[in-house]
Amino acid sequence: MAREAIIRGDDEEPTRRKPLDVPDEPRTPEEDRQDEELRPQRLVDVVGQRSVVERLQIMLNAAKKRSEPLGHLLLDGPPGLGKTTFATVLPREMGVDVQMTAAPSLMAPKDLLPFLTQASYGSILFIDEIHRLPATVEEFIYPVMEDFRVDITLGDGLNARTINMKLKPFTIIGATTRSGMLTAPLRDRFVNREHLEFYEVDDLAEIVRRSAKKLKTEISSEATYEIAKRARGTPRIANNLLRWTRQYADSETDGRITTSVADDALRKKEIDPLGLDRIDRRYLSTIIDIFAGGPAGLTAIAHSMNVPSDTLEDEVEPFLLRQGFLRRTSRGRVLTPAAYLHVGKNPPPEAHGNLF
Ligand code: ADP
């Protein structure tokens, strides 16, 4: 089933979890279509994440040999690292059906019911953003995951009756950018858990090379590296930069992507040599100019920038943390001297102290 079919609804947070002050912007159907176009089809086409791929291959082999469904699988990691890709590759490898949904569209148990009744033996149900499941749906899903059983309560008070319905054994693949927000009982019901790491430049260059081939665009090997180096460790960003560079090459040159074309195109897009874009740099300068380098609370930074705090936490901060520009402390976000130097400012003496 295509990702366009995912219905995204109101993403109000359950109150027992950390409240998110500004809702996420849903991905547009066009963005989903673009992801779909370049998505690897089989496990052998997946670039990088070798140890995850090896473990998944073992799970697949075992499930196929025993003719049993895969165990429930939780995939976590920042956006664009391949969670949906794995969730679409696995059913293809198993030769089973897949249904796709996202937690924000599962506001009540009844929203999940059609997926459960349609799940055939061994099929896969992919639930994106699973950390956003409301408590009622989460509790409803426990017996589903453990015993393939749903408990439906009919009526109220004295007249209330619980009906049990048996389901065919199937697999839930949950994806999350925030595994820390998952409750322990839900996390524990995923027997397999995989964390996706940012990609190495070599792997991203290979992804760019393969994507250029699919898009029928000529690109030099050096140019694949030029794009890969600025892709912030993320395949989706690598593909987006490639699409932009391709447009630039079509508009400004003969359509071939050389290193200098890639460099010019990315400069025009204000992507710096480390891959930071305007919003990353604005994040750094907001902490420097408004919060004196930190510590600063995420919500305060998000309000100052007028950007949803989810976007900062999911899409901006993970790479800055990995890059050594940012630290998360109990008192808030703190910039390191490297961050000051990157935006052309002198770090104050305290910034050096903040390192330790
Ligand atoms: P997520 O679900 O984690 O946000 P996706 O699985 O949608 O990320 O990946 C985004 C895009 O990046 C996909 O369309 C796919 O083309 C590409 N991609 C992700 N991981 C890989 C990979 N390991 N190898 C090749 N391409 C990948």
Side-chain angles (χ1 to χ4, degrees):
M1 196 168 119
R3 233 177 104 97
E4 289 89 78
I6 295 175
I7 310 150
R8 284 166 198 266
D10 185 359
D11 57 357
E12 203 179 291
E13 273 298 308
T15 47
R16 72 211 161 99
R17 300 213 180 95
K18 196 179 110 203
L20 297 170
D21 49 352
V22 199
D24 269 342
E25 281 176 28
R27 292 174 51 70
T28 64
E30 175 56 17
E31 285 169 328
D32 284 341
R33 192 196 60 72
Q34 293 193 345
D35 268 358
E36 210 50 58
E37 189 181 11
L38 298 177
R39 212 183 280 296
Q41 301 294 303
R42 306 301 296 241
L43 209 51
V44 289
D45 304 326
V46 170
V47 179
Q49 305 286 355
R50 279 348 289 171
S51 46
V52 176
V53 170
E54 280 167 19
R55 283 190 292 270
L56 293 178
Q57 189 65 63
I58 291 170
M59 278 171 58
L60 278 170
N61 293 345
K64 277 200 220 162
K65 262 194 195 154
R66 292 195 307 251
S67 301
E68 278 179 7
L70 289 171
H72 302 305
L73 168 67
L74 181 68
L75 296 167
D76 96 88
L81 293 197
K83 297 181 293 298
T84 311
T85 299
F86 280 114
T88 50
V89 159
L90 290 176
R92 227 172 260 128
E93 295 289 340
M94 288 287 286
V96 297
D97 296 334
V98 59
Q99 304 185 78
M100 303 186 89
T101 186
S105 64
L106 303 172
M107 294 317 292
K110 70 171 171 40
D111 300 325
L112 190 60
L113 215 46
F115 293 104
L116 302 181
T117 52
Q118 271 174 46
S120 52
Y121 182 85
S123 67
I124 288 177
L125 172 60
F126 175 60
I127 306 180
D128 204 1
E129 300 181 70
I130 196 153
H131 57 277
R132 291 177 178 277
L133 275 187
T136 49
V137 180
E138 190 178 315
E139 276 150 28
F140 178 74
I141 223 173
Y142 294 159
V144 171
M145 293 179 79
E146 264 167 19
D147 305 325
F148 303 105
R149 189 191 83 223
V150 288
D151 300 330
I152 306 168
T153 309
L154 296 174
D156 280 326
L158 283 178
N159 294 326
R161 286 181 303 140
T162 304
I163 297 178
N164 301 131
M165 196 170 84
K166 231 24 213 151
L167 302 169
K168 301 198 183 78
F170 70 104
T171 305
I172 292 187
I173 300 184
T176 179
T177 49
R178 313 270 182 91
S179 60
M181 274 174 72
L182 242 64
T183 61
L186 181 59
R187 198 170 35 242
D188 291 348
R189 281 167 173 85
F190 286 98
V191 282
N192 306 293
R193 284 170 248 163
E194 292 293 349
H195 174 73
L196 301 186
E197 295 287 349
F198 284 115
Y199 289 63
E200 299 300 330
V201 172
D202 283 346
D203 290 334
L204 292 168
E206 177 60 20
I207 290 173
V208 171
R209 194 186 64 76
R210 293 184 189 195
S211 297
K213 199 166 164 208
K214 284 186 196 163
L215 296 171
K216 300 188 174 45
T217 295
E218 205 179 309
I219 184 167
S220 73
S221 166
E222 294 76 21
T224 62
Y225 273 87
E226 196 56 45
I227 293 175
K229 274 190 287 184
R230 304 201 204 178
R232 287 198 269 143
T234 308
R236 180 179 289 133
I237 297 179
N239 284 339
N240 289 347
L241 297 182
L242 170 66
R243 280 179 202 282
W244 163 254
T245 309
R246 177 175 173 250
Q247 277 181 41
Y248 182 90
D250 283 340
S251 156
E252 307 295 310
T253 71
D254 63 2
R256 279 179 299 177
I257 304 178
T258 59
T259 318
S260 72
V261 168
D263 188 48
D264 289 349
L266 298 176
R267 229 182 264 264
K268 223 345 125 291
K269 192 106 180 135
E270 298 178 44
I271 309 287
D272 71 26
L274 285 183
L276 272 61
D277 61 15
R278 248 178 312 166
I279 181 165
D280 298 316
R281 288 191 298 272
R282 202 149 72 78
Y283 175 91
L284 297 180
S285 36
T286 301
I287 301 186
I288 294 173
D289 297 337
I290 301 181
F291 300 99
L298 173 67
T299 315
I301 303 168
H303 282 312
S304 304
M305 293 176 67
N306 200 18
V307 167
S309 55
D310 275 15
T311 305
L312 296 183
E313 206 170 3
D314 280 350
E315 295 178 26
V316 175
E317 293 187 335
F319 183 69
L320 297 178
L321 283 161
R322 190 181 88 137
Q323 199 63 35
F325 284 174
L326 177 70
R327 286 189 318 121
R328 287 169 73 156
T329 71
S330 54
R331 289 179 306 139
R333 275 56 171 168
V334 177
L335 294 191
T336 65
Y340 280 80
L341 296 173
H342 187 73
V343 290
K345 303 206 171 168
N346 280 331
E350 317 86 79
H352 294 278
N354 279 339
L355 264 183
F356 306 104

